[in-house]
PDB file of all heavy atoms in Angstrom:
ATOM      1  N   VAL A  30       6.162 -10.008  14.783  1.00  0.00           N
ATOM      2  CA  VAL A  30       6.286  -8.718  15.471  1.00  0.00           C
ATOM      3  C   VAL A  30       4.932  -8.075  15.744  1.00  0.00           C
ATOM      4  O   VAL A  30       4.850  -7.069  16.448  1.00  0.00           O
ATOM      5  CB  VAL A  30       7.152  -7.739  14.649  1.00  0.00           C
ATOM      6  CG1 VAL A  30       8.578  -8.255  14.527  1.00  0.00           C
ATOM      7  CG2 VAL A  30       6.549  -7.491  13.275  1.00  0.00           C
ATOM      8  N   CYS A  31       3.876  -8.652  15.149  1.00  0.00           N
ATOM      9  CA  CYS A  31       2.545  -8.062  15.316  1.00  0.00           C
ATOM     10  C   CYS A  31       1.523  -9.183  15.406  1.00  0.00           C
ATOM     11  O   CYS A  31       1.501 -10.081  14.564  1.00  0.00           O
ATOM     12  CB  CYS A  31       2.235  -7.141  14.135  1.00  0.00           C
ATOM     13  SG  CYS A  31       0.592  -6.384  14.183  1.00  0.00           S
ATOM     14  N   ALA A  32       0.674  -9.145  16.413  1.00  0.00           N
ATOM     15  CA  ALA A  32      -0.281 -10.229  16.639  1.00  0.00           C
ATOM     16  C   ALA A  32      -1.375 -10.281  15.573  1.00  0.00           C
ATOM     17  O   ALA A  32      -1.898 -11.356  15.269  1.00  0.00           O
ATOM     18  CB  ALA A  32      -0.907 -10.074  18.026  1.00  0.00           C
ATOM     19  N   ASP A  33      -1.724  -9.135  15.028  1.00  0.00           N
ATOM     20  CA  ASP A  33      -2.837  -9.103  14.074  1.00  0.00           C
ATOM     21  C   ASP A  33      -2.509  -8.253  12.848  1.00  0.00           C
ATOM     22  O   ASP A  33      -3.102  -7.188  12.647  1.00  0.00           O
ATOM     23  CB  ASP A  33      -4.102  -8.582  14.760  1.00  0.00           C
ATOM     24  CG  ASP A  33      -3.865  -7.237  15.436  1.00  0.00           C
ATOM     25  OD1 ASP A  33      -2.688  -6.813  15.534  1.00  0.00           O
ATOM     26  OD2 ASP A  33      -4.853  -6.593  15.845  1.00  0.00           O
ATOM     27  N   PRO A  34      -1.557  -8.689  12.020  1.00  0.00           N
ATOM     28  CA  PRO A  34      -1.223  -7.930  10.811  1.00  0.00           C
ATOM     29  C   PRO A  34      -2.400  -7.889   9.840  1.00  0.00           C
ATOM     30  O   PRO A  34      -3.257  -8.783   9.840  1.00  0.00           O
ATOM     31  CB  PRO A  34      -0.043  -8.706  10.217  1.00  0.00           C
ATOM     32  CG  PRO A  34      -0.202 -10.090  10.737  1.00  0.00           C
ATOM     33  CD  PRO A  34      -0.776  -9.938  12.106  1.00  0.00           C
ATOM     34  N   VAL A  35      -2.428  -6.853   9.022  1.00  0.00           N
ATOM     35  CA  VAL A  35      -3.503  -6.668   8.054  1.00  0.00           C
ATOM     36  C   VAL A  35      -2.933  -6.830   6.655  1.00  0.00           C
ATOM     37  O   VAL A  35      -1.877  -6.276   6.325  1.00  0.00           O
ATOM     38  CB  VAL A  35      -4.132  -5.260   8.198  1.00  0.00           C
ATOM     39  CG1 VAL A  35      -5.230  -5.058   7.162  1.00  0.00           C
ATOM     40  CG2 VAL A  35      -4.689  -5.066   9.609  1.00  0.00           C
ATOM     41  N   VAL A  36      -3.624  -7.615   5.820  1.00  0.00           N
ATOM     42  CA  VAL A  36      -3.217  -7.816   4.430  1.00  0.00           C
ATOM     43  C   VAL A  36      -4.267  -7.202   3.517  1.00  0.00           C
ATOM     44  O   VAL A  36      -5.467  -7.480   3.662  1.00  0.00           O
ATOM     45  CB  VAL A  36      -3.050  -9.305   4.081  1.00  0.00           C
ATOM     46  CG1 VAL A  36      -2.573  -9.460   2.641  1.00  0.00           C
ATOM     47  CG2 VAL A  36      -2.087  -9.974   5.040  1.00  0.00           C
ATOM     48  N   ILE A  37      -3.836  -6.369   2.585  1.00  0.00           N
ATOM     49  CA  ILE A  37      -4.748  -5.732   1.629  1.00  0.00           C
ATOM     50  C   ILE A  37      -4.233  -5.997   0.221  1.00  0.00           C
ATOM     51  O   ILE A  37      -3.079  -5.663  -0.105  1.00  0.00           O
ATOM     52  CB  ILE A  37      -4.862  -4.213   1.851  1.00  0.00           C
ATOM     53  CG1 ILE A  37      -5.219  -3.897   3.314  1.00  0.00           C
ATOM     54  CG2 ILE A  37      -5.886  -3.596   0.909  1.00  0.00           C
ATOM     55  CD1 ILE A  37      -4.066  -3.460   4.150  1.00  0.00           C
ATOM     56  N   LEU A  38      -5.080  -6.597  -0.601  1.00  0.00           N
ATOM     57  CA  LEU A  38      -4.717  -6.895  -1.980  1.00  0.00           C
ATOM     58  C   LEU A  38      -5.407  -5.926  -2.936  1.00  0.00           C
ATOM     59  O   LEU A  38      -6.567  -5.575  -2.742  1.00  0.00           O
ATOM     60  CB  LEU A  38      -5.104  -8.330  -2.348  1.00  0.00           C
ATOM     61  CG  LEU A  38      -4.486  -9.444  -1.517  1.00  0.00           C
ATOM     62  CD1 LEU A  38      -5.008 -10.803  -2.004  1.00  0.00           C
ATOM     63  CD2 LEU A  38      -2.965  -9.415  -1.588  1.00  0.00           C
ATOM     64  N   GLU A  39      -4.692  -5.523  -3.969  1.00  0.00           N
ATOM     65  CA  GLU A  39      -5.248  -4.704  -5.046  1.00  0.00           C
ATOM     66  C   GLU A  39      -5.987  -3.482  -4.505  1.00  0.00           C
ATOM     67  O   GLU A  39      -7.182  -3.297  -4.709  1.00  0.00           O
ATOM     68  CB  GLU A  39      -6.173  -5.539  -5.927  1.00  0.00           C
ATOM     69  CG  GLU A  39      -5.478  -6.669  -6.648  1.00  0.00           C
ATOM     70  CD  GLU A  39      -4.384  -6.173  -7.602  1.00  0.00           C
ATOM     71  OE1 GLU A  39      -4.620  -5.208  -8.355  1.00  0.00           O
ATOM     72  OE2 GLU A  39      -3.286  -6.769  -7.577  1.00  0.00           O
ATOM     73  N   SER A  40      -5.262  -2.613  -3.835  1.00  0.00           N
ATOM     74  CA  SER A  40      -5.874  -1.413  -3.254  1.00  0.00           C
ATOM     75  C   SER A  40      -5.491  -0.174  -4.063  1.00  0.00           C
ATOM     76  O   SER A  40      -4.366  -0.056  -4.564  1.00  0.00           O
ATOM     77  CB  SER A  40      -5.423  -1.231  -1.803  1.00  0.00           C
ATOM     78  OG  SER A  40      -4.013  -1.165  -1.718  1.00  0.00           O
ATOM     79  N   ARG A  41      -6.433   0.739  -4.204  1.00  0.00           N
ATOM     80  CA  ARG A  41      -6.181   2.005  -4.878  1.00  0.00           C
ATOM     81  C   ARG A  41      -5.367   2.895  -3.952  1.00  0.00           C
ATOM     82  O   ARG A  41      -5.756   3.131  -2.805  1.00  0.00           O
ATOM     83  CB  ARG A  41      -7.491   2.688  -5.251  1.00  0.00           C
ATOM     84  CG  ARG A  41      -7.296   4.002  -6.031  1.00  0.00           C
ATOM     85  CD  ARG A  41      -8.653   4.662  -6.253  1.00  0.00           C
ATOM     86  NE  ARG A  41      -8.524   5.973  -6.855  1.00  0.00           N
ATOM     87  CZ  ARG A  41      -8.540   6.222  -8.158  1.00  0.00           C
ATOM     88  NH1 ARG A  41      -8.687   5.220  -9.011  1.00  0.00           N
ATOM     89  NH2 ARG A  41      -8.427   7.446  -8.630  1.00  0.00           N
ATOM     90  N   LEU A  42      -4.251   3.388  -4.445  1.00  0.00           N
ATOM     91  CA  LEU A  42      -3.353   4.196  -3.631  1.00  0.00           C
ATOM     92  C   LEU A  42      -3.269   5.604  -4.208  1.00  0.00           C
ATOM     93  O   LEU A  42      -2.916   5.797  -5.367  1.00  0.00           O
ATOM     94  CB  LEU A  42      -1.957   3.556  -3.596  1.00  0.00           C
ATOM     95  CG  LEU A  42      -1.911   2.129  -3.035  1.00  0.00           C
ATOM     96  CD1 LEU A  42      -0.505   1.562  -3.139  1.00  0.00           C
ATOM     97  CD2 LEU A  42      -2.404   2.091  -1.590  1.00  0.00           C
ATOM     98  N   ASP A  43      -3.599   6.570  -3.394  1.00  0.00           N
ATOM     99  CA  ASP A  43      -3.636   7.975  -3.795  1.00  0.00           C
ATOM    100  C   ASP A  43      -2.388   8.680  -3.264  1.00  0.00           C
ATOM    101  O   ASP A  43      -2.201   8.793  -2.057  1.00  0.00           O
ATOM    102  CB  ASP A  43      -4.909   8.606  -3.224  1.00  0.00           C
ATOM    103  CG  ASP A  43      -5.068  10.076  -3.599  1.00  0.00           C
ATOM    104  OD1 ASP A  43      -4.088  10.695  -4.048  1.00  0.00           O
ATOM    105  OD2 ASP A  43      -6.179  10.601  -3.423  1.00  0.00           O
ATOM    106  N   PHE A  44      -1.525   9.120  -4.183  1.00  0.00           N
ATOM    107  CA  PHE A  44      -0.338   9.866  -3.762  1.00  0.00           C
ATOM    108  C   PHE A  44      -0.378  11.290  -4.312  1.00  0.00           C
ATOM    109  O   PHE A  44       0.650  11.907  -4.583  1.00  0.00           O
ATOM    110  CB  PHE A  44       0.951   9.139  -4.189  1.00  0.00           C
ATOM    111  CG  PHE A  44       0.952   8.619  -5.602  1.00  0.00           C
ATOM    112  CD1 PHE A  44       1.319   9.430  -6.670  1.00  0.00           C
ATOM    113  CD2 PHE A  44       0.600   7.308  -5.868  1.00  0.00           C
ATOM    114  CE1 PHE A  44       1.328   8.951  -7.960  1.00  0.00           C
ATOM    115  CE2 PHE A  44       0.597   6.812  -7.163  1.00  0.00           C
ATOM    116  CZ  PHE A  44       0.971   7.634  -8.214  1.00  0.00           C
ATOM    117  N   SER A  45      -1.613  11.826  -4.464  1.00  0.00           N
ATOM    118  CA  SER A  45      -1.798  13.148  -5.057  1.00  0.00           C
ATOM    119  C   SER A  45      -1.284  14.280  -4.166  1.00  0.00           C
ATOM    120  O   SER A  45      -1.165  15.424  -4.622  1.00  0.00           O
ATOM    121  CB  SER A  45      -3.273  13.381  -5.383  1.00  0.00           C
ATOM    122  OG  SER A  45      -4.082  13.262  -4.218  1.00  0.00           O
ATOM    123  N   LYS A  46      -0.982  13.986  -2.916  1.00  0.00           N
ATOM    124  CA  LYS A  46      -0.384  15.000  -2.046  1.00  0.00           C
ATOM    125  C   LYS A  46       0.980  15.416  -2.575  1.00  0.00           C
ATOM    126  O   LYS A  46       1.434  16.542  -2.353  1.00  0.00           O
ATOM    127  CB  LYS A  46      -0.251  14.456  -0.618  1.00  0.00           C
ATOM    128  CG  LYS A  46       0.369  15.441   0.364  1.00  0.00           C
ATOM    129  CD  LYS A  46       0.444  14.855   1.761  1.00  0.00           C
ATOM    130  CE  LYS A  46       1.092  15.844   2.730  1.00  0.00           C
ATOM    131  NZ  LYS A  46       1.183  15.276   4.102  1.00  0.00           N
ATOM    132  N   TYR A  47       1.615  14.524  -3.313  1.00  0.00           N
ATOM    133  CA  TYR A  47       2.963  14.774  -3.816  1.00  0.00           C
ATOM    134  C   TYR A  47       3.006  14.915  -5.340  1.00  0.00           C
ATOM    135  O   TYR A  47       3.866  15.613  -5.875  1.00  0.00           O
ATOM    136  CB  TYR A  47       3.891  13.628  -3.390  1.00  0.00           C
ATOM    137  CG  TYR A  47       3.811  13.352  -1.909  1.00  0.00           C
ATOM    138  CD1 TYR A  47       2.979  12.349  -1.400  1.00  0.00           C
ATOM    139  CD2 TYR A  47       4.541  14.113  -1.007  1.00  0.00           C
ATOM    140  CE1 TYR A  47       2.884  12.111  -0.042  1.00  0.00           C
ATOM    141  CE2 TYR A  47       4.448  13.882   0.362  1.00  0.00           C
ATOM    142  CZ  TYR A  47       3.614  12.887   0.832  1.00  0.00           C
ATOM    143  OH  TYR A  47       3.510  12.666   2.189  1.00  0.00           O
ATOM    144  N   VAL A  48       2.083  14.239  -6.017  1.00  0.00           N
ATOM    145  CA  VAL A  48       2.030  14.234  -7.482  1.00  0.00           C
ATOM    146  C   VAL A  48       0.622  14.608  -7.901  1.00  0.00           C
ATOM    147  O   VAL A  48      -0.329  13.915  -7.516  1.00  0.00           O
ATOM    148  CB  VAL A  48       2.382  12.830  -8.036  1.00  0.00           C
ATOM    149  CG1 VAL A  48       2.231  12.794  -9.552  1.00  0.00           C
ATOM    150  CG2 VAL A  48       3.795  12.439  -7.629  1.00  0.00           C
ATOM    151  N   PRO A  49       0.433  15.686  -8.663  1.00  0.00           N
ATOM    152  CA  PRO A  49      -0.923  16.115  -9.020  1.00  0.00           C
ATOM    153  C   PRO A  49      -1.757  14.984  -9.623  1.00  0.00           C
ATOM    154  O   PRO A  49      -1.349  14.338 -10.584  1.00  0.00           O
ATOM    155  CB  PRO A  49      -0.679  17.227 -10.050  1.00  0.00           C
ATOM    156  CG  PRO A  49       0.665  17.780  -9.688  1.00  0.00           C
ATOM    157  CD  PRO A  49       1.460  16.590  -9.229  1.00  0.00           C
ATOM    158  N   ASN A  50      -2.908  14.746  -9.022  1.00  0.00           N
ATOM    159  CA  ASN A  50      -3.852  13.717  -9.473  1.00  0.00           C
ATOM    160  C   ASN A  50      -3.215  12.327  -9.523  1.00  0.00           C
ATOM    161  O   ASN A  50      -3.663  11.455 -10.273  1.00  0.00           O
ATOM    162  CB  ASN A  50      -4.427  14.057 -10.852  1.00  0.00           C
ATOM    163  CG  ASN A  50      -5.271  15.313 -10.833  1.00  0.00           C
ATOM    164  OD1 ASN A  50      -5.682  15.786  -9.779  1.00  0.00           O
ATOM    165  ND2 ASN A  50      -5.535  15.878 -12.002  1.00  0.00           N
ATOM    166  N   GLY A  51      -2.199  12.111  -8.726  1.00  0.00           N
ATOM    167  CA  GLY A  51      -1.481  10.842  -8.761  1.00  0.00           C
ATOM    168  C   GLY A  51      -2.171   9.734  -7.992  1.00  0.00           C
ATOM    169  O   GLY A  51      -2.569   9.907  -6.840  1.00  0.00           O
ATOM    170  N   PHE A  52      -2.343   8.593  -8.650  1.00  0.00           N
ATOM    171  CA  PHE A  52      -2.903   7.416  -7.987  1.00  0.00           C
ATOM    172  C   PHE A  52      -2.443   6.170  -8.743  1.00  0.00           C
ATOM    173  O   PHE A  52      -1.969   6.245  -9.878  1.00  0.00           O
ATOM    174  CB  PHE A  52      -4.435   7.467  -7.948  1.00  0.00           C
ATOM    175  CG  PHE A  52      -5.081   7.425  -9.304  1.00  0.00           C
ATOM    176  CD1 PHE A  52      -5.415   6.223  -9.904  1.00  0.00           C
ATOM    177  CD2 PHE A  52      -5.351   8.594  -9.991  1.00  0.00           C
ATOM    178  CE1 PHE A  52      -6.016   6.179 -11.155  1.00  0.00           C
ATOM    179  CE2 PHE A  52      -5.943   8.572 -11.247  1.00  0.00           C
ATOM    180  CZ  PHE A  52      -6.275   7.358 -11.833  1.00  0.00           C
ATOM    181  N   GLY A  53      -2.571   5.040  -8.095  1.00  0.00           N
ATOM    182  CA  GLY A  53      -2.199   3.772  -8.717  1.00  0.00           C
ATOM    183  C   GLY A  53      -2.791   2.630  -7.921  1.00  0.00           C
ATOM    184  O   GLY A  53      -3.588   2.836  -6.996  1.00  0.00           O
ATOM    185  N   THR A  54      -2.418   1.415  -8.269  1.00  0.00           N
ATOM    186  CA  THR A  54      -2.938   0.229  -7.596  1.00  0.00           C
ATOM    187  C   THR A  54      -1.797  -0.555  -6.963  1.00  0.00           C
ATOM    188  O   THR A  54      -0.835  -0.919  -7.644  1.00  0.00           O
ATOM    189  CB  THR A  54      -3.693  -0.683  -8.583  1.00  0.00           C
ATOM    190  OG1 THR A  54      -4.769   0.047  -9.165  1.00  0.00           O
ATOM    191  CG2 THR A  54      -4.246  -1.908  -7.866  1.00  0.00           C
ATOM    192  N   GLY A  55      -1.923  -0.793  -5.668  1.00  0.00           N
ATOM    193  CA  GLY A  55      -0.919  -1.581  -4.961  1.00  0.00           C
ATOM    194  C   GLY A  55      -1.300  -3.049  -4.991  1.00  0.00           C
ATOM    195  O   GLY A  55      -2.426  -3.409  -4.633  1.00  0.00           O
ATOM    196  N   ASP A  56      -0.389  -3.904  -5.425  1.00  0.00           N
ATOM    197  CA  ASP A  56      -0.694  -5.331  -5.517  1.00  0.00           C
ATOM    198  C   ASP A  56      -0.951  -5.947  -4.146  1.00  0.00           C
ATOM    199  O   ASP A  56      -1.891  -6.707  -3.954  1.00  0.00           O
ATOM    200  CB  ASP A  56       0.446  -6.078  -6.221  1.00  0.00           C
ATOM    201  CG  ASP A  56       0.552  -5.712  -7.687  1.00  0.00           C
ATOM    202  OD1 ASP A  56      -0.467  -5.289  -8.271  1.00  0.00           O
ATOM    203  OD2 ASP A  56       1.654  -5.843  -8.248  1.00  0.00           O
ATOM    204  N   CYS A  57      -0.094  -5.611  -3.187  1.00  0.00           N
ATOM    205  CA  CYS A  57      -0.274  -6.176  -1.840  1.00  0.00           C
ATOM    206  C   CYS A  57       0.355  -5.262  -0.795  1.00  0.00           C
ATOM    207  O   CYS A  57       1.484  -4.786  -0.970  1.00  0.00           O
ATOM    208  CB  CYS A  57       0.369  -7.561  -1.752  1.00  0.00           C
ATOM    209  SG  CYS A  57       0.232  -8.320  -0.110  1.00  0.00           S
ATOM    210  N   LEU A  58      -0.387  -5.030   0.257  1.00  0.00           N
ATOM    211  CA  LEU A  58       0.117  -4.293   1.420  1.00  0.00           C
ATOM    212  C   LEU A  58      -0.031  -5.191   2.636  1.00  0.00           C
ATOM    213  O   LEU A  58      -1.031  -5.893   2.791  1.00  0.00           O
ATOM    214  CB  LEU A  58      -0.676  -3.005   1.655  1.00  0.00           C
ATOM    215  CG  LEU A  58      -0.821  -2.017   0.503  1.00  0.00           C
ATOM    216  CD1 LEU A  58      -1.709  -0.845   0.932  1.00  0.00           C
ATOM    217  CD2 LEU A  58       0.538  -1.514   0.051  1.00  0.00           C
ATOM    218  N   ILE A  59       0.981  -5.171   3.495  1.00  0.00           N
ATOM    219  CA  ILE A  59       0.896  -5.867   4.778  1.00  0.00           C
ATOM    220  C   ILE A  59       1.255  -4.858   5.861  1.00  0.00           C
ATOM    221  O   ILE A  59       2.355  -4.290   5.842  1.00  0.00           O
ATOM    222  CB  ILE A  59       1.846  -7.075   4.846  1.00  0.00           C
ATOM    223  CG1 ILE A  59       1.509  -8.088   3.753  1.00  0.00           C
ATOM    224  CG2 ILE A  59       1.764  -7.734   6.224  1.00  0.00           C
ATOM    225  CD1 ILE A  59       2.469  -9.274   3.703  1.00  0.00           C
ATOM    226  N   ILE A  60       0.338  -4.635   6.762  1.00  0.00           N
ATOM    227  CA  ILE A  60       0.572  -3.686   7.851  1.00  0.00           C
ATOM    228  C   ILE A  60       0.739  -4.468   9.139  1.00  0.00           C
ATOM    229  O   ILE A  60      -0.174  -5.160   9.592  1.00  0.00           O
ATOM    230  CB  ILE A  60      -0.590  -2.693   7.989  1.00  0.00           C
ATOM    231  CG1 ILE A  60      -0.836  -1.979   6.655  1.00  0.00           C
ATOM    232  CG2 ILE A  60      -0.278  -1.667   9.084  1.00  0.00           C
ATOM    233  CD1 ILE A  60      -2.079  -1.118   6.644  1.00  0.00           C
ATOM    234  N   ALA A  61       1.932  -4.368   9.680  1.00  0.00           N
ATOM    235  CA  ALA A  61       2.249  -5.050  10.938  1.00  0.00           C
ATOM    236  C   ALA A  61       3.068  -4.074  11.764  1.00  0.00           C
ATOM    237  O   ALA A  61       4.290  -4.008  11.621  1.00  0.00           O
ATOM    238  CB  ALA A  61       3.019  -6.341  10.687  1.00  0.00           C
ATOM    239  N   GLU A  62       2.372  -3.308  12.580  1.00  0.00           N
ATOM    240  CA  GLU A  62       3.061  -2.269  13.348  1.00  0.00           C
ATOM    241  C   GLU A  62       4.353  -2.796  13.975  1.00  0.00           C
ATOM    242  O   GLU A  62       4.345  -3.860  14.576  1.00  0.00           O
ATOM    243  CB  GLU A  62       2.134  -1.755  14.453  1.00  0.00           C
ATOM    244  CG  GLU A  62       0.796  -1.227  13.948  1.00  0.00           C
ATOM    245  CD  GLU A  62      -0.148  -0.917  15.083  1.00  0.00           C
ATOM    246  OE1 GLU A  62       0.281  -0.243  16.047  1.00  0.00           O
ATOM    247  OE2 GLU A  62      -1.293  -1.374  15.024  1.00  0.00           O
ATOM    248  N   PRO A  63       5.465  -2.091  13.733  1.00  0.00           N
ATOM    249  CA  PRO A  63       5.589  -0.746  13.158  1.00  0.00           C
ATOM    250  C   PRO A  63       5.976  -0.731  11.672  1.00  0.00           C
ATOM    251  O   PRO A  63       6.474   0.281  11.186  1.00  0.00           O
ATOM    252  CB  PRO A  63       6.733  -0.163  13.994  1.00  0.00           C
ATOM    253  CG  PRO A  63       7.643  -1.347  14.199  1.00  0.00           C
ATOM    254  CD  PRO A  63       6.727  -2.543  14.335  1.00  0.00           C
ATOM    255  N   VAL A  64       5.742  -1.840  10.957  1.00  0.00           N
ATOM    256  CA  VAL A  64       6.230  -1.962   9.577  1.00  0.00           C
ATOM    257  C   VAL A  64       5.064  -2.027   8.582  1.00  0.00           C
ATOM    258  O   VAL A  64       4.052  -2.692   8.838  1.00  0.00           O
ATOM    259  CB  VAL A  64       7.109  -3.228   9.415  1.00  0.00           C
ATOM    260  CG1 VAL A  64       7.617  -3.344   7.986  1.00  0.00           C
ATOM    261  CG2 VAL A  64       8.278  -3.197  10.388  1.00  0.00           C
ATOM    262  N   LEU A  65       5.244  -1.348   7.467  1.00  0.00           N
ATOM    263  CA  LEU A  65       4.321  -1.426   6.343  1.00  0.00           C
ATOM    264  C   LEU A  65       5.069  -2.044   5.170  1.00  0.00           C
ATOM    265  O   LEU A  65       6.087  -1.512   4.728  1.00  0.00           O
ATOM    266  CB  LEU A  65       3.823  -0.030   5.969  1.00  0.00           C
ATOM    267  CG  LEU A  65       3.151   0.131   4.602  1.00  0.00           C
ATOM    268  CD1 LEU A  65       1.855  -0.659   4.541  1.00  0.00           C
ATOM    269  CD2 LEU A  65       2.899   1.603   4.293  1.00  0.00           C
ATOM    270  N   ASP A  66       4.577  -3.184   4.697  1.00  0.00           N
ATOM    271  CA  ASP A  66       5.138  -3.825   3.502  1.00  0.00           C
ATOM    272  C   ASP A  66       4.348  -3.394   2.272  1.00  0.00           C
ATOM    273  O   ASP A  66       3.110  -3.388   2.295  1.00  0.00           O
ATOM    274  CB  ASP A  66       5.044  -5.353   3.603  1.00  0.00           C
ATOM    275  CG  ASP A  66       6.161  -5.961   4.431  1.00  0.00           C
ATOM    276  OD1 ASP A  66       6.941  -5.204   5.019  1.00  0.00           O
ATOM    277  OD2 ASP A  66       6.241  -7.203   4.493  1.00  0.00           O
ATOM    278  N   VAL A  67       5.064  -3.043   1.216  1.00  0.00           N
ATOM    279  CA  VAL A  67       4.441  -2.758  -0.080  1.00  0.00           C
ATOM    280  C   VAL A  67       5.074  -3.718  -1.081  1.00  0.00           C
ATOM    281  O   VAL A  67       6.276  -3.677  -1.315  1.00  0.00           O
ATOM    282  CB  VAL A  67       4.678  -1.300  -0.519  1.00  0.00           C
ATOM    283  CG1 VAL A  67       4.009  -1.035  -1.867  1.00  0.00           C
ATOM    284  CG2 VAL A  67       4.160  -0.325   0.540  1.00  0.00           C
ATOM    285  N   ILE A  68       4.248  -4.604  -1.647  1.00  0.00           N
ATOM    286  CA  ILE A  68       4.765  -5.666  -2.525  1.00  0.00           C
ATOM    287  C   ILE A  68       4.189  -5.495  -3.920  1.00  0.00           C
ATOM    288  O   ILE A  68       2.974  -5.347  -4.091  1.00  0.00           O
ATOM    289  CB  ILE A  68       4.410  -7.055  -1.965  1.00  0.00           C
ATOM    290  CG1 ILE A  68       4.973  -7.210  -0.540  1.00  0.00           C
ATOM    291  CG2 ILE A  68       4.938  -8.155  -2.879  1.00  0.00           C
ATOM    292  CD1 ILE A  68       4.481  -8.438   0.188  1.00  0.00           C
ATOM    293  N   ASP A  69       5.055  -5.510  -4.916  1.00  0.00           N
ATOM    294  CA  ASP A  69       4.622  -5.325  -6.303  1.00  0.00           C
ATOM    295  C   ASP A  69       5.034  -6.535  -7.129  1.00  0.00           C
ATOM    296  O   ASP A  69       6.194  -6.954  -7.100  1.00  0.00           O
ATOM    297  CB  ASP A  69       5.250  -4.052  -6.883  1.00  0.00           C
ATOM    298  CG  ASP A  69       4.627  -3.655  -8.211  1.00  0.00           C
ATOM    299  OD1 ASP A  69       3.394  -3.557  -8.286  1.00  0.00           O
ATOM    300  OD2 ASP A  69       5.375  -3.438  -9.187  1.00  0.00           O
ATOM    301  N   LEU A  70       4.073  -7.081  -7.856  1.00  0.00           N
ATOM    302  CA  LEU A  70       4.338  -8.218  -8.731  1.00  0.00           C
ATOM    303  C   LEU A  70       4.733  -7.717 -10.113  1.00  0.00           C
ATOM    304  O   LEU A  70       4.030  -6.915 -10.717  1.00  0.00           O
ATOM    305  CB  LEU A  70       3.088  -9.093  -8.845  1.00  0.00           C
ATOM    306  CG  LEU A  70       3.120 -10.206  -9.901  1.00  0.00           C
ATOM    307  CD1 LEU A  70       4.181 -11.236  -9.556  1.00  0.00           C
ATOM    308  CD2 LEU A  70       1.746 -10.849 -10.032  1.00  0.00           C
ATOM    309  N   LYS A  71       5.868  -8.188 -10.602  1.00  0.00           N
ATOM    310  CA  LYS A  71       6.314  -7.899 -11.966  1.00  0.00           C
ATOM    311  C   LYS A  71       6.351  -9.228 -12.717  1.00  0.00           C
ATOM    312  O   LYS A  71       7.144 -10.110 -12.385  1.00  0.00           O
ATOM    313  CB  LYS A  71       7.711  -7.261 -11.961  1.00  0.00           C
ATOM    314  CG  LYS A  71       7.818  -5.941 -11.211  1.00  0.00           C
ATOM    315  CD  LYS A  71       7.079  -4.833 -11.903  1.00  0.00           C
ATOM    316  CE  LYS A  71       7.352  -3.490 -11.224  1.00  0.00           C
ATOM    317  NZ  LYS A  71       6.478  -2.427 -11.785  1.00  0.00           N
TER     318      LYS A  71
END
């Protein structure tokens, strides 16, 4: 669906707009307009 999707591994994610001082680490993100994948390894 997207010619040039972007893959980001182990990125710092800031969600402090919703949770005070909230941040964490995303294992894998894939951005392929119009979809954003968020993948977590357990």
Side-chain angles (χ1 to χ4, degrees):
V30 296
C31 178
D33 54 350
V35 179
V36 182
I37 307 101
L38 301 179
E39 297 299 315
S40 57
R41 183 185 174 91
L42 301 176
D43 181 345
F44 45 85
S45 58
K46 180 179 179 181
Y47 309 96
V48 176
N50 295 344
F52 64 89
T54 301
D56 292 335
C57 179
L58 306 177
I59 300 176
I60 305 172
E62 304 172 48
V64 180
L65 164 65
D66 279 6
V67 180
I68 303 170
D69 191 52
L70 171 65
K71 300 291 187 188

